C-alpha cells in the first residue's frame, strides 16, 4: 500500500496520496519501535 500511494502521488501530485504515504510511514515506524521494546522487555525478564 505504501509503495502504491507513493507512485500514485508522483504520477498525479495528489496531496491525499501523499498524506496516506506519510501516515503509513508513521504506522510502520510505530510497529518497529513496539517490536524493539517487546524484545528488550523479554530479554530483561
Amino acid at each position: 500500500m505504501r509503495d502504491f500511494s507513493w507512485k500514485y502521488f508522483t504520477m498525479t501530485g495528489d496531496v491525499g496520496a501523499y498524506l496516506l504515504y506519510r501516515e503509513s510511514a508513521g504506522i510502520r515506524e510505530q510497529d518497529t519501535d513496539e517490536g524493539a521494546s517487546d524484545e528488550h522487555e523479554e530479554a530483561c525478564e
Side-chain angles (χ1 to χ4, degrees):
M1 181 68 170
R2 186 171 180 244
D3 292 334
F4 172 76
S5 60
W6 178 253
K7 287 182 182 183
Y8 186 79
F9 168 69
T10 58
M11 293 173 59
T12 63
D14 182 43
V15 175
Y18 177 73
L19 294 175
L20 179 62
Y21 170 78
R22 292 295 299 161
E23 183 178 335
S24 66
I27 292 170
R28 186 179 206 181
E29 289 176 10
Q30 287 176 351
D31 288 345
T32 303
D33 292 344
E34 289 175 3
S37 66
D38 289 344
E39 291 172 4
H40 178 71
E41 289 175 6
E42 290 174 2
C44 292
E45 291 179 353

